[in-house]
Amino acid sequence: MTLRITVVGTGYVGLVTGVCLANSGHDVTCVDIDPVKIDLLRSGRSPIYEPGIEELLRTTLDRGTLRFATPNAGWRDLIGDVTFIAVGTPMSPSGAADLSQVRAAVSALCDAADRPFTLVMKSTVPPGTGATLTGRFLAAARHSIAYVSNPEFLREGKALEDWYHTDRIVIGADDPAAVMVMRALYEDIDSPIVVTDVASAETIKYASNAFLSTKISFINEIANLCDAVGADIDSVARGIGLDARIGPGFLRAGIGYGGSCFPKDTRALDFIATLNGYEFTLLKSVIDVNNRQRLLPVIHLARALPDLHARTVAVLGLAFKPDTDDVRESPAADIVPQLLEEGATVVTYDPVAAPIELPGARRAASVWDALEGASAAVIVTEWDEFIGLDWERVRSVMAAPGIVFDGRNCLDGATIEAAGLTYMAVGRRGAHRAHDRC
Ligand code: UGA
């Protein structure tokens, strides 16, 4: 069945949703208030760095199943049989999700609707939002609008793979007809479908991200313990991950999680729990551990190099993870200012990442430029370029003692040490410890 679909918001989630549904043969219009973005997309270029997205964008544009529009001429003609909301829900200073863009979009659509349609929430919104929006906007519309919560579980850098090979599709709706429409929409995807009520679907999204964040903070605490007792986190993670009840995923220790989702969603869930009179103690600890973990490189370097103020440190990686240009909540944004605070000279480098405000630090044009004369290098992002470095050459350009702090436990410590460098990591046996002086 071919459906007429509209996706409001061409950010990361909206663009992937629109392009993939158009690729399935649906008739898709992606809408955004930013005319520059719309022009770029119409020309077949993607504003985000995501492997495979540009190819699919061009294919669907050529095939005529994908269109882009701004709402300048009004919303009425833009509303599809199924209209997705995929606008941003950034973190507000209180930690709550800022729903102003969601409210504006839902309000505009409900006001403009001249016939019934299905409104699907793809933006990550806290539990209870669907009920609030329905009571406030959908109930006041002239036509019946069915509300569906359909959270996304896409990882940046692997979005297309995750769309077509997802572990589950979640549909939260009270209207059985809307559930049928959603099933038809995803009929080409082979995946279990969880059909539930709106509040439960909203909670599944937050609980998933909170659980994965918990796994990361847990393994990071175990890694810190490994450092203290002389155990090796790689063996420990493998040993526990082989237990099918635990699973091997998200047990990579390091300097903690970043990105546009985990930090924001854990804080928003904590906020919504507090607002509902519930003290989510475990989640608060997960957030605290992650905040502390980011500063590990600074703690290690300050101990190993008492004259850190007279040293240059290369910070390698600004993206919050590899295969993305996204610098939102990158650990580098905490590490760099703290190194500067310690008096160090900081040079950063990233092969892809978007510009990031790091006053006082110099951004190098190449990894070699960044490493030249640096006494220490901190791996913040596990880009292949860093994993494949020629460590003999690294040793020759760095200043003594040549510390490599592997914030992602992604390098081979033995090779680095054999090249005459000092290898530090998070909970890895054989790596130098924070209390070692160089
Ligand atoms: C995450 C979830 O994985 C997606 O399922 C979800 O849809 C998405 O958030 C979202 O809510 O939109 P993403 O933020 O793209 O996806 O990134 P992940 O690959 O999950 O990594 C998040 C952070 O955790 C990164 O900083 C990564 O370096 C870190 N991480 C991940 C670890 O430190 N250790 C691990 O073992 C795994």
Side-chain angles (χ1 to χ4, degrees):
M1 170 160 71
T2 302
L3 291 159
R4 201 174 142 244
I5 291 163
T6 299
V7 182
V8 181
T10 60
Y12 179 77
V13 172
L15 186 60
V16 174
T17 302
V19 166
C20 289
L21 289 173
N23 191 46
S24 296
H26 297 293
D27 176 15
V28 179
T29 304
C30 289
V31 185
D32 202 291
I33 50 170
D34 181 350
V36 180
K37 224 179 188 186
I38 290 297
D39 283 345
L40 188 75
L41 287 161
R42 278 181 181 146
S43 74
R45 278 173 300 153
S46 168
I48 55 161
Y49 175 83
E50 180 65 36
I53 195 83
E54 228 165 55
E55 289 79 352
L56 219 51
L57 172 65
R58 291 193 187 134
T59 310
T60 47
L61 279 171
D62 288 348
R63 214 189 280 154
T65 52
L66 182 63
R67 271 179 301 279
F68 290 96
T70 66
N72 290 349
W75 283 99
R76 203 190 58 199
D77 296 334
L78 293 175
I79 298 173
D81 303 325
V82 181
T83 298
F84 283 87
I85 304 288
V87 296
T89 53
M91 183 162 53
S92 52
S94 64
D98 174 354
L99 299 180
S100 53
Q101 294 177 56
V102 167
R103 276 193 297 272
V106 173
S107 162
L109 290 166
C110 291
D111 278 353
D114 61 354
R115 65 204 152 81
F117 71 98
T118 302
L119 182 71
V120 184
M121 189 56 66
K122 264 274 175 226
S123 301
T124 300
V125 295
T129 304
T132 308
L133 294 172
T134 302
R136 186 163 161 193
F137 301 112
L138 278 71
R142 279 165 291 137
H143 299 272
S144 119
I145 304 172
Y147 187 92
V148 177
S149 166
N150 174 219
E152 56 86 21
F153 302 101
L154 310 171
R155 286 165 300 170
E156 287 189 25
K158 298 215 171 356
L160 299 185
E161 188 184 317
D162 285 351
W163 178 275
Y164 290 107
H165 306 283
T166 183
D167 292 330
R168 78 297 207 188
I169 290 168
V170 175
I171 300 172
D174 300 325
D175 178 351
V179 174
M180 274 174 61
V181 170
M182 295 304 291
R183 282 186 184 277
L185 202 68
Y186 292 119
E187 68 188 356
D188 61 335
I189 295 175
D190 181 20
S191 142
I193 298 185
V194 179
V195 177
T196 182
D197 59 280
V198 170
S200 301
E202 292 167 338
T203 306
I204 288 170
K205 169 67 190 178
Y206 277 88
S208 299
N209 278 359
F211 187 82
L212 293 170
S213 305
T214 304
K215 251 186 133 177
I216 296 171
S217 280
F218 178 82
I219 203 66
N220 283 336
E221 291 251 80
I222 296 289
N224 297 341
L225 187 67
C226 283
D227 261 340
V229 302
D232 178 54
I233 192 61
D234 295 342
S235 305
V236 173
R238 180 166 152 73
I240 64 173
L242 284 168
D243 184 328
R245 293 167 301 174
I246 296 173
F250 282 73
L251 290 181
R252 201 166 22 80
I255 51 174
Y257 58 80
S260 63
C261 306
F262 289 175
K264 165 174 86 77
D265 293 349
T266 44
R267 273 177 242 166
L269 189 59
D270 180 39
F271 183 88
I272 206 82
T274 306
L275 203 64
N276 283 277
Y278 184 70
E279 185 89 78
F280 203 150
T281 320
L282 176 63
L283 190 59
K284 286 185 197 302
S285 298
V286 167
I287 296 167
D288 286 349
V289 168
N290 197 58
N291 290 339
R292 193 190 57 203
Q293 206 68 12
R294 291 176 159 219
L295 294 178
L296 273 190
V298 186
I299 296 167
H300 279 236
L301 293 183
R303 285 192 194 148
L305 300 168
D307 59 345
L308 186 57
H309 57 272
R311 306 282 190 161
T312 297
V313 180
V315 172
L316 304 183
L318 299 172
F320 82 93
K321 65 173 188 178
D323 288 329
T324 176
D325 62 349
D326 198 338
V327 294
R328 284 177 287 179
E329 294 281 340
S330 165
D334 286 333
I335 294 167
V336 170
Q338 200 50 47
L339 284 170
L340 290 167
E341 190 64 32
E342 300 287 327
T345 301
V346 181
V347 185
T348 67
Y349 170 71
D350 191 289
V352 173
I356 174 170
E357 240 350 85
L358 291 170
R362 176 173 79 83
R363 186 154 175 178
S366 75
V367 69
W368 298 109
D369 177 15
L371 288 167
E372 184 74 48
S375 300
V378 179
I379 307 287
V380 173
T381 319
E382 62 276 36
W383 285 106
D384 283 345
E385 181 177 353
F386 306 149
I387 295 170
L389 278 170
D390 171 350
W391 295 102
E392 300 281 346
R393 184 173 167 202
V394 171
R395 174 76 190 95
S396 71
V397 301
M398 283 182 80
I403 299 174
V404 176
F405 185 93
D406 181 1
R408 294 299 177 187
N409 284 4
C410 62
L411 305 174
D412 178 17
T415 308
I416 290 166
E417 293 266 336
L421 294 155
T422 299
Y423 180 69
M424 289 184 163
V426 186
R428 279 183 145 181
R429 204 160 69 157
H432 281 72
R433 315 276 155 156
H435 41 75
D436 297 337
R437 285 276 157 98
C438 295

